[in-house]
Amino acid sequence: METIAEGGLRQEPWERRDPVRWAKYRRRLALRAKLHGLLLPDPNHPAHARDPGADPFEDDAYSTACREAVVRFYAKEHLRLRGEANAQGLGIAGLFDGLHLASFHRDAVSMGLLPAE
């Protein structure tokens, strides 16, 4: 979810070294998101075009739309997602999943999608 939230479904300039592998990765990630009900913004929409002179590591309209889509998904599924993260235990994967979920939770509260705890 973090990759999607950062706008990772759009082709980036550094992917030119191995475009087939990156396209396959993005497609598989998008299909998994759709399967779970995550409504994704269209990376090819004109409003989501990256300014050629912009810093590729700064947020733009597309990455902002992706973050909002993931936060809205999280707000609907937060109990299940937190339960799955807790079931992973205290390993490093559980730690990082917990950090990402806490970030999504904070954004959902700030957007008014979830009540403050």
Side-chain angles (χ1 to χ4, degrees):
M1 284 190 353
E2 187 67 24
T3 300
I4 295 169
E6 292 175 352
L9 296 180
R10 174 176 53 192
Q11 184 176 9
E12 299 293 347
W14 55 81
E15 296 175 9
R16 291 187 186 124
R17 289 178 295 194
D18 194 355
V20 173
R21 187 178 109 211
W22 284 104
K24 181 179 176 183
Y25 171 75
R26 283 193 313 276
R27 180 73 178 143
R28 189 170 62 218
L29 193 59
L31 288 173
R32 287 176 61 196
K34 281 185 181 183
L35 177 68
H36 290 285
L38 180 56
L39 303 174
L40 301 169
D42 180 8
N44 298 317
H45 190 279
H48 297 150
R50 186 186 297 275
D51 179 21
D55 183 353
F57 299 104
E58 291 293 321
D59 287 346
D60 61 354
Y62 178 68
S63 59
T64 301
C66 287
R67 182 78 181 183
E68 289 177 7
V70 169
V71 169
R72 289 183 189 286
F73 174 77
Y74 171 82
K76 289 190 296 189
E77 300 286 335
H78 72 282
L79 295 176
R80 181 180 62 82
L81 293 170
R82 284 182 172 234
E84 289 175 3
N86 289 339
Q88 285 186 1
L90 299 174
I92 194 76
L95 171 69
F96 283 113
D97 285 348
L99 290 173
H100 294 309
L101 292 178
S103 172
F104 297 144
H105 190 85
R106 184 183 62 244
D107 289 351
V109 170
S110 72
M111 291 172 65
L113 300 172
L114 290 175
E117 291 181 358

